[in-house]
Amino acid sequence: MKWANFIIGIVVSLGLTNCNGEKNTSKIDNSQREFDDSKYTLYPDYPKGDCRRYGVFPDSTNNRTHPRTGISRMESVMELSEKSKTTIYFPRGFYGTNLLFHSKCNVSFTFDKAQFNLLDITDEKGTESSHIKLKGTLILYDRFGTYNSNNIEVDSLIIKSDSTKNLSKNRSRGCHIYKGTKHMKIKYLEIQDMGSGGEQYRNNHAALALDGLWNNPENITIDEVLIKSSDRHGAYVTGNNNKIHKITIEKYAQGTTDFMTGMQDTQKGEERILSGLWMQRLCF
């Protein structure tokens, strides 16, 4: 059994900013008129903010188009949260789809052990995603990934392997906090497994990876990490002002390095020398 406890980084003070990067000193006015969600509502018997009100149900097919918005039902609840600053609630169950935050701002979701395939937070539609709040406990069966995004808050994230729920019928690909990710806080992260053995895992180097060649993650804080098993490295950590309060790595190097690509910020061939905890190019 391999384990490690360590702390890296420094405390930083952040001003509250809006999506244009401007400092926002105004307070939220709780007396403002309640947002009209009628455009998004399909099942009005559910309360406002409940995903089922808008046609997203656990243990159901959720990649369908919303009949009133013309976009997917998941995209619709993201749009609703953005526009109304409403926190969307997802009751427990398996939703059989992905959570894709592509150029999203001010989205807030709460999960009651809700299960999805994967979650990506990116700038894929041209602007950085920012001010994303993921409350409660979220369970994923493929991967959690971020790049070119900022101000992300996650309460509890559990990544499992289950080929009956993974949409590609593969094992988990872990957690990858990638280039350009800044100002992110995770309270609890548990990775039960990270797979290997085929081309589909070629870019997966560690159960938890913080990397990004010359644009490494900055100001990432994770209170606690538990890695139960990884076929390759346990954790690979790079970047600036990053802090992990506690990390426990129970098993690593359980699989194969076949098809594995090189790792950023390392020399060729080093990726195949598997380690429990690897810290590289850290700045404080």
Side-chain angles (χ1 to χ4, degrees):
M1 179 182 292
K2 300 288 183 179
W3 60 272
N5 292 330
F6 70 100
I7 299 175
I8 57 177
I10 61 174
V11 177
V12 285
S13 177
L14 300 176
L16 181 64
T17 59
N18 62 22
C19 295
N20 296 317
E22 299 170 344
K23 184 158 286 191
N24 182 357
T25 58
S26 63
K27 295 181 179 180
I28 296 174
D29 182 7
N30 292 322
S31 66
Q32 62 185 329
R33 184 172 60 85
E34 189 174 11
F35 185 81
D36 180 5
D37 68 352
S38 58
K39 173 183 176 181
Y40 303 90
T41 299
L42 298 175
Y43 300 92
D45 288 344
Y46 292 99
K48 287 189 174 183
D50 189 313
C51 68
R52 294 168 292 187
R53 181 179 177 91
Y54 314 111
V56 177
F57 286 85
D59 305 310
S60 183
T61 301
N62 289 302
N63 58 356
R64 293 173 293 171
T65 299
H66 191 291
R68 294 181 181 173
T69 65
I71 55 179
S72 76
R73 298 186 182 200
M74 279 304 309
E75 183 81 6
S76 296
V77 295
M78 287 188 185
E79 181 180 276
L80 170 61
S81 184
E82 275 189 305
K83 289 184 175 181
S84 67
K85 296 181 174 55
T86 299
T87 297
I88 305 299
Y89 167 72
F90 294 85
R92 65 183 60 195
F94 179 56
Y95 288 79
T97 189
N98 298 322
L99 291 167
L100 303 177
F101 295 82
H102 296 324
S103 300
K104 297 297 182 183
C105 182
N106 292 321
V107 177
S108 178
F109 286 174
T110 294
F111 305 99
D112 178 14
K113 296 184 179 178
Q115 307 163 41
F116 290 82
N117 184 57
L118 64 78
L119 186 150
D120 280 341
I121 303 175
T122 77
D123 65 344
E124 191 166 303
K125 292 188 177 179
T127 59
E128 292 187 349
S129 290
S130 66
H131 297 89
I132 306 298
K133 293 185 178 181
L134 307 175
K135 306 174 184 178
T137 298
L138 169 64
I139 299 170
L140 300 176
Y141 291 99
D142 187 348
R143 181 195 68 215
F144 178 92
T146 67
Y147 62 84
N148 293 335
S149 298
N150 64 82
N151 288 284
I152 301 163
E153 299 177 24
V154 182
D155 278 353
S156 181
L157 172 62
I158 300 173
I159 304 174
K160 302 181 178 183
S161 281
D162 185 337
S163 61
T164 66
K165 292 184 176 180
N166 183 297
L167 298 185
S168 299
K169 306 304 179 186
N170 295 318
R171 292 166 62 194
S172 155
R173 293 184 290 165
C175 177
H176 193 184
I177 300 170
Y178 193 39
K179 65 180 183 179
T181 303
K182 299 177 182 178
H183 306 304
M184 180 178 187
K185 171 69 179 291
I186 301 176
K187 293 181 181 178
Y188 179 76
L189 170 62
E190 180 178 313
I191 303 170
Q192 297 187 0
D193 176 66
M194 190 197 78
S196 66
E199 285 279 356
Q200 65 270 38
Y201 306 106
R202 62 187 179 276
N203 293 322
N204 298 103
H205 303 109
L208 169 62
L210 283 73
D211 64 359
L213 187 62
W214 306 117
N215 190 14
N216 301 68
E218 298 180 4
N219 300 306
I220 311 300
T221 299
I222 307 177
D223 287 343
E224 182 177 358
V225 179
L226 171 61
I227 297 172
K228 289 183 170 292
S229 183
S230 174
D231 275 16
R232 293 173 176 164
H233 301 278
Y236 179 60
V237 182
T238 73
N240 302 326
N241 300 333
N242 297 325
K243 181 189 299 183
I244 300 179
H245 291 288
K246 178 181 179 181
I247 180 166
T248 303
I249 302 170
E250 295 183 347
K251 296 179 182 178
Y252 71 95
Q254 299 296 299
T256 176
T257 59
D258 292 349
F259 305 104
M260 186 177 174
T261 60
M263 294 172 65
Q264 296 183 0
D265 301 306
T266 67
Q267 299 296 316
K268 183 178 180 180
E270 287 184 332
E271 72 277 359
R272 298 181 183 276
I273 306 172
L274 298 179
S275 59
L277 172 63
W278 186 352
M279 293 183 287
Q280 178 88 350
R281 284 197 71 238
L282 293 172
C283 297
F284 303 96

